[in-house]
């Protein structure tokens, strides 16, 4: 199996796995506020990655690319690592969990499924990427699918509300840091990069909780039932601590856009899990909405990949024939 094929398998696995957070977070949110859950999640995550990183270094299976130095000379990387941690991880998770007070887990998953389009939109705004007319039409189709979902008269949320905007803000938080995250991973390595981000996410939200006077002890409520313990293990260790390693592994092999395409599986995964785990309704409009969103996003990403797959013709200068000696 080639590295590219391994990258695609990793990206697909993550696309399926990332439909889970809003499902496993629901039982925990019954006993603590979203911001406390975010702090607990990333504290567990950076402890997990810290152990993985140190064990990997000690066993020789991992190597440091470059040391992440906390000094003025390295201020740019510190700034972007903090942004990726606090905005790309912490805010992404916080807003996603907060939206569950207003919308269903399946609606959350479908809106999060817009992340691939939002990632390429960041590329358009900051990195000179260009959309074709067909890509613009596909993007509009994806947002139309979300609109169909939101306006479903049989939905538990009874139409559009603030939760949908909060969830969209969550997706935008993750997407806006995708390119910075890839750049840091290229320089420092995938494990080290995610460890730094999780540390900043934990510190950032820990400071926020301290400033607002939140009750840190409510995090202990996670031990109130075996189900909640299992959920925080899945959320902090598996989804955060380990899956982001798989995500960056895939990103290093198939690129930001390739992993973005695999994230199209998130809405489907969220919907199926919400139906079976949380007992959410299956309505005709909800099925249509999910189909429209996934189809539109796949078409959007394929149209983008065609531009990258065009063969490049290289002009090879002709070498003069060697002269035979007389």
């Amino acid at each position: 199996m080639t590295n590219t094929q391994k990258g695609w398998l990793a990206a697909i696995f993550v696309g399926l796995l990332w439909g889970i957070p809003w499902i496993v977070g629901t039982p925990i949110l019954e006993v603590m506020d979203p911001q406390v859950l975010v702090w607990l999640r990333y504290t567990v995550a950076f402890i997990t990655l810290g152990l993985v990183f140190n064990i990997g270094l000690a066993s020789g299976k991992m190597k440091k690319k470059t040391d992440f130095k906390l000094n003025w000379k390295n201020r740019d990387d510190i700034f972007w690592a903090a942004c990726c941690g606090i905005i790309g991880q912490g805010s992404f998770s916080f807003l996603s969990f907060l939206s569950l007070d207003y919308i269903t887990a399946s609606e959350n998953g479908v809106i999060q499924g817009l992340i691939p389009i939002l990632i390429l939109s960041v590329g358009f705004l900051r990195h000179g990427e260009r959309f074709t007319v067909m890509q613009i039409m596909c993007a509009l189709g994806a947002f139309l699918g979300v609109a169909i979902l939101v306006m479903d008269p049989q939905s538990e949320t009874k139409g559009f509300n603030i939760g949908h905007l909060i969830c969209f803000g969550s997706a935008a938080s993750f997407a806006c840091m995708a390119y910075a995250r890839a750049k840091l991973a290229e320089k420092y390595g995938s494990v080290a990069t995610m460890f730094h981000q999780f540390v900043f996410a934990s510190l950032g939200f820990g400071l926020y909780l301290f400033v607002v006077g939140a009750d840190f002890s409510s995090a202990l409520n996670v031990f109130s039932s075996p189900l909640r313990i299992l959920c925080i293990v899945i959320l902090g260790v598996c989804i955060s601590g380990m899956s982001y390693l798989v995500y960056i592994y895939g990103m290093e092999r198939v690129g930001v856009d390739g992993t973005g395409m695999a994230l199209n599986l998130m809405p489907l995964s969220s919907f199926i899990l919400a139906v079976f785990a949380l007992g959410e309704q299956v309505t005709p409009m909800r099925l249509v909405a999910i189909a429209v969103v996934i189809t539109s996003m796949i078409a959007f990403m394929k149209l983008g990949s065609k531009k990258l797959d065009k063969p490049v013709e290289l002009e090879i200068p002709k070498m003069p024939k060697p002269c035979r000696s007389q």
Side-chain angles (χ1 to χ4, degrees):
M1 184 179 292
T2 65
N3 284 334
T4 301
Q5 290 173 329
K6 292 178 182 178
W8 278 113
L9 285 177
I12 291 170
F13 172 76
V14 171
L16 292 171
L17 189 63
W18 282 4
I20 297 177
W22 2 109
I23 311 297
V24 298
T26 300
I28 305 176
L29 289 171
E30 295 174 355
V31 295
M32 70 180 70
D33 294 331
Q35 60 266 32
V36 178
L37 175 54
V38 172
W39 172 76
L40 178 62
R41 173 184 183 178
Y42 289 109
T43 300
V44 172
F46 90 71
I47 292 173
T48 301
L49 276 191
L51 291 173
V52 170
F53 195 30
N54 284 286
I55 292 173
L57 290 174
S59 64
K61 294 183 178 180
M62 292 183 184
K63 294 182 180 179
K64 285 185 179 180
K65 286 188 175 182
T66 304
D67 286 332
F68 186 81
K69 298 179 179 179
L70 295 173
N71 55 37
W72 180 252
K73 185 177 180 180
N74 201 39
R75 60 188 180 278
D76 287 342
D77 287 352
I78 295 173
F79 172 77
W80 285 112
C83 287
C84 288
I86 296 173
I87 300 174
Q89 300 293 340
S91 295
F92 159 68
S93 185
F94 171 64
L95 293 175
S96 180
F97 289 138
L98 183 62
S99 71
L100 294 176
D101 288 339
Y102 308 94
I103 63 177
T104 63
S106 59
E107 287 177 310
N108 185 301
V110 172
I111 295 174
Q112 296 291 353
L114 296 176
I115 285 177
I117 290 179
L118 296 178
I119 288 175
L120 290 187
S121 298
V122 173
F124 170 77
L125 295 172
R126 291 196 56 196
H127 302 281
E129 297 289 341
R130 292 292 179 268
F131 292 160
T132 65
V133 174
M134 289 302 298
Q135 279 185 301
I136 294 174
M137 296 300 294
C138 290
L140 292 175
F143 283 99
L144 175 63
V146 173
I148 294 173
L149 180 74
V150 169
M151 299 304 174
D152 184 359
Q154 295 179 299
S155 173
E156 296 92 328
T157 56
K158 307 299 181 183
F160 178 78
N161 62 56
I162 189 65
H164 298 103
L165 291 178
I166 293 173
C167 189
F168 182 80
S170 167
S173 295
F174 182 87
C176 71
M177 291 291 111
Y179 286 89
R181 189 179 299 116
K183 186 177 179 180
L184 290 170
E186 183 179 354
K187 182 175 181 180
Y188 295 102
S190 59
V191 180
T193 295
M194 296 314 300
F195 173 73
H196 300 148
Q197 291 178 59
F198 291 161
V199 168
F200 278 115
S202 177
L203 290 176
F205 270 80
L207 179 61
Y208 170 74
L209 294 178
F210 178 78
V211 170
V212 300
D215 183 11
F216 281 90
S217 64
S218 64
L220 297 176
N221 292 334
V222 75
F223 297 106
S224 59
S225 74
L227 174 62
R228 294 190 179 101
I229 295 174
L230 176 62
C231 286
I232 194 60
V233 170
I234 294 174
L235 188 60
V237 177
C238 300
I239 297 177
S240 295
M242 305 304 294
S243 74
Y244 282 102
L245 300 181
V246 182
Y247 169 74
I248 293 185
Y249 175 89
M251 188 167 56
E252 289 176 339
R253 285 154 180 79
V254 298
V256 175
D257 297 342
T259 49
M261 184 182 294
L263 295 184
N264 292 327
L265 296 171
M266 286 172 56
L268 182 62
S269 177
S270 293
F271 176 72
I272 293 174
L273 286 169
V275 170
F276 286 99
L278 302 179
E280 291 189 9
Q281 295 180 351
V282 179
T283 66
M285 284 190 67
R286 186 166 287 182
L287 292 174
V288 169
I290 292 172
V292 170
V293 170
I294 294 177
T295 302
S296 298
M297 289 191 300
I298 291 175
F300 179 91
M301 298 300 296
K302 282 192 173 183
L303 289 169
S305 64
K306 285 181 180 179
K307 295 189 295 182
L308 299 176
D309 292 339
K310 289 182 180 179
V312 179
E313 296 182 359
L314 298 177
E315 184 179 349
I316 304 176
K318 295 181 179 179
M319 301 298 293
K321 295 181 179 179
C323 297
R324 295 181 179 178
S325 58
Q326 298 297 329

